[in-house]
């Protein structure tokens, strides 16, 4: 066994320049929503050269729209391809999906960037640029892991399905399209930016809107009206109580360092239109965290039932109940058993390569892992080299060392998970030894 | 004395049709801001026919802008005239300003009106239309009162200064311009819509804005940020406490039926821009009621000092104090001694004509009486025929009976306040009686 480990380690050392160059070219191809074609072409060419069976297609918006888990601000995906590359196993091993998204969020205010957001500039072992951490660095780790196996003549028994998908940042339509195209596996790994922590659980989330009613009056006689702003304070406190109740149920040690495992965030408030009038309507919008153990529907129902109970807090709401709406984006939660064999595999190989125990936590945000788990029936782990803190921020960067260490861990994990045919030279050695006898 | 009272009563009965026609023509001339010329022409023609000395001018925006009490969204008043008519007294009597505004607020959503907003339609003793109650009905009461004196040959000793001003609904620039033109008197009467209650005090008000800061974070880890929405709740409670403190000081029996004599109303709230982010800024706008006994500056300072104290409630505000701004409109409070001679006069004549005691209260809103009192040094009373509840609302109306009753009360009050020369026929009678001796 030491043999192939040494080879992989050496191969990755020898291919740092090639990997760095690939990552830089990917960062320099700005793949914001609708502009993924350039970066996907680089990916497709690379995996074709590596000898994978390549599948490229434009997701069918019409078909996707019918699916209950579809969400995107668009339903037309011309020139926004998904790219999948399959390395078929020899048979008898476990299969795996390696999923990474190619889309990046917009670069925002360019004045906040020290360099061009798509420079791919390298300083002090870091590469900079939009998407380098979220998650082109992780994608390169996947590619290098597969390439390391290929070029060292390592044959796996199980299938490896590499996916470069669109739309993760906008609701997961790319991964959903891959699931609907039939791609499933025994497990999945998604190298989103976790700072190399291992996330067997991911918080899901949904957006909601609450409309709070009041009754208008002139501000000089405000006591003749009912302020929707004051009533909103009651609603906010009521929602806080729900958050407390929901989080009190969560006792999973994965959350021991998380103050609020599934927060309910109120992000937007807007109400009233005249300083001298008592406001009769306030609109609030927020994000409800969804636990890995619950369904979106359960969470929705709990919120709806809880809001109905507010009439017990304040009689006003009997005749003027808050109106609850679900809108916009939602991210399905994900969970895999911490004793799942892929977890053990990943932890083992992390220790092997990094020489220390990995941090295992639950993530506070969703990934496409929720869709893979709940729609694709493929339990998923999130583990990647990117820097969590700079995702979506100016001067996004990644530590190049982490890209290569992650590639090595994943390569070894693939061998352990999928199973490996004896190496040709080992076979030769066995044959030679037999001949000797 | 019974003689001229009977005559005035009879004259007003005989001129109901003429008064109704005048009011209808005024309502049918929509005098929203910038469009006052048509209605002012009707007023000017009427008072010229009555023999008043007429003064018509366009307020000088350049001059007004320099005045600390000026507020208007515009500073150009071309074709927006003030109209003043003076009935000079014979000398030795007290003078009075009779002030009414000609501007009306916009008609708003026409679908909420049963008729055209400028129909002046009459049904069941009510006339309908934008501005009929606020305050063209009151203006017609003033004109009829003066005309009744004129046409009955009643000569007053003190001057009567009738003012038809622009801009009351937008901050009082019309009345300010009249003050700056030199019009002053021993007292003033403003027939704003009080339901024929007498208001010796009027609440003033100012608009303010409060900016509340937070610290942004992702909603999935909201505990890493500080929600400006939650901090706003602390600010709202703090402002409520200030309102309580300020109102506890007010013991004037005029406010005995007013739950909150000088409310602080929060009319607008707006903050955050993304459901999944912790909001880092909330803006609130409101109206601070100002007591007749305090100055605008005192009220401003009290609010500013109180907001500084919020750091004692929550340490967050030590480094992130709420930012207070004063903006937009303000209305100066007004007050006259309840024992002022014009109060006694008005109460007497109300009893005389209406056969019952008037309701005397403090008003919950400002009028141009604040400017007349504080800038024009002319103590003012607000008393008029309009229906308080429908001012600024669709289907605004006035009870025509009240217009004429008010006219009669004001005519008699003018006689008592300004003093009256003996009537010609009374003089004749005295002379005749002397000849008899």
């Amino acid at each position: 066994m030491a043999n192939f480990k040494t080879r992989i380690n050496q191969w990755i050392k020898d291919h740092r320049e090639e990997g760095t160059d690939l990552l830089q070219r990917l960062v320099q191809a700005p793949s914001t929503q609708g502009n993924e074609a350039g970066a996907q072409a680089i990916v497709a060419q690379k995996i074709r050269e590596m000898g994978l069976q390549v599948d490229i297609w434009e997701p069918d918006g019409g078909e996707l729209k019918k699916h209950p888990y579809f969400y995107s601000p668009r339903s037309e995906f011309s020139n926004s391809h998904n790219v999948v590359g399959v390395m078929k196993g020899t048979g008898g091993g476990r299969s795996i999906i390696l999923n990474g998204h190619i889309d990046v969020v917009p670069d925002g205010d360019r004045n906040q960037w020290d360099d061009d957001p798509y420079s791919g500039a390298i300083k002090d072992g870091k590469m900079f640029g939009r998407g380098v951490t979220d998650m082109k660095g992780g994608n390169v780790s996947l590619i290098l892991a597969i390439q390391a196996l290929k070029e060292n003549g390592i044959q796996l028994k199980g299938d490896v399905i590499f996916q470069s998908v669109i739309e993760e940042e906008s609701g997961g339509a790319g991964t959903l399209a891959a699931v609907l195209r039939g791609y499933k596996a025994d497990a999945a790994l998604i190298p989103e930016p976790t700072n190399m922590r291992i996330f067997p659980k991911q918080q899901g989330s949904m957006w909601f809107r609450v409309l709070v009613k009041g009754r208008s009056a002139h501000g000089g006689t405000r006591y003749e009206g009912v302020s929707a702003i004051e009533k909103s304070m009651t609603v906010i406190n009521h929602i806080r109580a729900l958050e407390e109740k929901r989080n009190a149920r969560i006792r999973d040690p994965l959350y021991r360092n998380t103050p609020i495992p599934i927060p309910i965030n109120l992000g937007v408030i807007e109400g009233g239109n005249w300083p001298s009038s008592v406001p009769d309507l306030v609109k609030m919008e927020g994000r409800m965290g969804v636990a890995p153990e619950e369904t979106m529907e359960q969470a929705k129902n709990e919120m709806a039932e809880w809001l109905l109970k507010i009439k017990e807090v304040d009689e006003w709401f009997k005749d003027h109940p808050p109106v609850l709406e679900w809108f916009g984006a939602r991210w399905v939660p994900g969970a895999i058993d911490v004793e799942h064999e892929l977890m053990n595999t990943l932890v083992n190989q992390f220790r092997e390569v990094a020489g220390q125990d990995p941090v295992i936590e639950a993530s506070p945000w969703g990934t496409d892992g929720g869709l893979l788990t709940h729609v694709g029936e493929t339990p998923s782990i999130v583990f990647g080299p990117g820097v969590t803190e700079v995702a979506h921020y100016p001067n996004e960067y990644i530590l190049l060392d982490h890209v290569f260490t992650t590639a090595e861990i994943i390569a070894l994990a693939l061998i352990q998970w999928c199973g490996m045919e004896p190496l040709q030279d080992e076979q030769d050695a066995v044959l030679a030894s037999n001949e000797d006898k």
Side-chain angles (χ1 to χ4, degrees), chain A:
Chain A
M1 289 288 279
N3 194 17
F4 70 82
K5 286 187 187 175
T6 313
R7 284 198 207 174
I8 286 174
N9 178 272
Q10 190 59 49
W11 185 93
I12 285 178
K13 271 187 190 142
D14 295 342
H15 291 79
R16 282 183 71 106
E17 201 179 317
E18 188 182 325
T20 302
D21 177 64
L22 175 62
L23 180 54
Q24 199 169 45
R25 283 190 293 131
L26 284 173
V27 171
Q28 288 168 353
S31 49
T32 48
Q33 191 182 42
N35 305 302
E36 307 88 348
Q40 290 290 59
I42 295 169
V43 171
Q45 191 196 359
K46 175 74 185 170
I47 61 175
R48 189 172 284 123
E49 283 168 10
M50 282 159 55
L52 305 195
Q53 298 168 18
V54 180
D55 180 13
I56 302 177
W57 78 100
E58 289 172 357
D60 178 347
E63 182 198 14
L64 284 169
K65 266 169 73 177
K66 292 178 207 149
H67 199 279
Y69 279 81
F70 171 74
Y71 174 76
S72 173
R74 60 174 173 165
S75 58
E76 164 52 44
F77 301 95
S78 298
N79 220 26
S80 292
H81 307 86
N82 269 346
V83 175
V84 169
V86 178
M87 180 167 75
K88 280 299 283 182
T90 54
R94 288 175 292 214
S95 61
I96 191 165
I97 286 173
L98 302 174
N99 173 291
H101 65 84
I102 197 71
D103 56 312
V104 301
V105 296
D107 49 73
D109 177 8
R110 291 210 172 196
N111 293 322
Q112 296 188 43
W113 288 81
D114 295 340
D115 269 319
D116 182 286
Y118 302 104
S119 68
I122 300 169
K123 286 175 204 156
D124 303 327
K126 297 172 182 170
M127 187 183 292
F128 288 83
R130 170 57 77 232
V132 73
T133 217
D134 184 9
M135 60 176 285
K136 290 175 175 175
N139 296 347
V140 167
S141 296
L142 295 181
I143 290 169
L144 288 177
I146 299 168
Q147 196 181 355
L149 302 182
K150 278 274 187 189
E151 297 197 1
N152 284 287
I154 295 169
Q155 277 196 301
L156 300 185
K157 294 180 176 166
D159 298 344
V160 174
I161 303 162
F162 168 82
Q163 305 183 329
S164 178
V165 298
I166 61 168
E167 292 284 300
E168 192 275 343
E169 299 289 0
S170 307
T175 289
L176 182 61
V179 168
L180 297 182
R181 200 164 172 92
Y183 290 108
K184 289 190 184 187
D186 294 317
L189 177 70
I190 305 178
E192 287 266 16
T194 72
N195 285 346
M196 297 185 68
R197 291 168 294 180
I198 299 176
F199 289 173
K201 295 197 175 185
Q202 303 96 43
Q203 187 191 129
S205 63
M206 306 179 282
W207 284 359
F208 64 93
R209 185 179 289 129
V210 182
L211 302 175
V212 183
K213 292 172 196 164
R215 192 176 56 230
S216 195
H218 186 270
T221 51
R222 73 168 191 82
Y223 40 83
E224 290 173 355
V226 175
S227 165
I229 292 178
E230 284 185 31
K231 293 303 173 193
S232 294
M233 290 168 67
T234 309
V235 173
I236 291 170
N237 284 328
H238 195 64
I239 289 175
R240 272 296 153 272
L242 175 63
E243 183 191 59
E244 204 167 316
K245 182 169 167 264
R246 283 169 54 78
N247 282 280
R249 289 198 297 252
I250 295 181
R251 299 212 167 74
D252 189 329
L254 283 177
Y255 289 103
R256 71 185 152 255
N257 296 321
T258 309
I260 309 172
I262 44 168
I264 305 180
N265 181 68
L266 287 167
V268 179
I269 190 165
E270 204 182 298
N273 48 30
W274 196 246
S276 289
S277 294
V278 175
D280 62 356
L281 187 67
V282 166
K283 182 185 80 178
M284 296 188 287
E285 291 178 352
R287 169 197 184 277
M288 182 183 197
V290 181
E293 291 74 18
E294 66 185 346
T295 65
M296 312 297 268
E297 279 313 308
Q298 284 167 339
K300 280 185 185 179
N301 290 341
E302 189 174 11
M303 170 82 95
E305 281 164 23
W306 184 257
L307 278 184
L308 281 179
K309 281 190 192 156
I310 197 170
K311 62 174 185 262
E312 295 162 21
V313 178
D314 181 340
E315 289 225 328
W316 168 257
F317 296 105
K318 265 189 193 154
D319 295 325
H320 311 86
V323 176
L324 175 65
E325 295 171 359
W326 302 96
F327 76 107
R330 45 130 204 63
W331 290 266
V332 185
I336 195 169
D337 195 313
V338 285
E339 300 296 332
H340 190 279
E341 193 50 35
L342 184 58
M343 278 296 292
N344 294 335
T345 301
L346 205 55
V347 169
N348 281 347
Q349 301 305 339
F350 186 99
R351 284 193 192 119
E352 181 79 25
V353 174
Q356 61 186 47
D357 283 340
V359 176
I360 303 176
E361 281 184 355
S363 96
W365 26 258
T367 67
D368 279 353
L371 286 170
L372 286 174
T373 306
H374 291 285
V375 187
E377 296 168 341
T378 304
S380 307
I381 297 173
V382 179
F383 162 72
V387 185
T388 316
E389 294 73 15
V390 297
H392 297 208
Y393 281 87
N395 301 320
E396 181 177 343
Y397 71 88
I398 200 166
L399 295 166
L400 288 170
D401 276 351
H402 284 193
V403 175
F404 300 110
T405 308
T406 301
E408 189 175 345
I409 294 169
I410 292 174
L412 299 182
L414 291 177
I415 291 170
Q416 187 179 341
W417 173 258
C418 299
M420 158 185 165
E421 297 295 342
L423 285 171
Q424 194 56 46
D425 43 6
E426 283 175 352
Q427 289 176 345
D428 293 348
V430 170
L431 290 175
S433 126
N434 285 347
E435 280 168 13
D436 284 347
K437 283 175 192 165

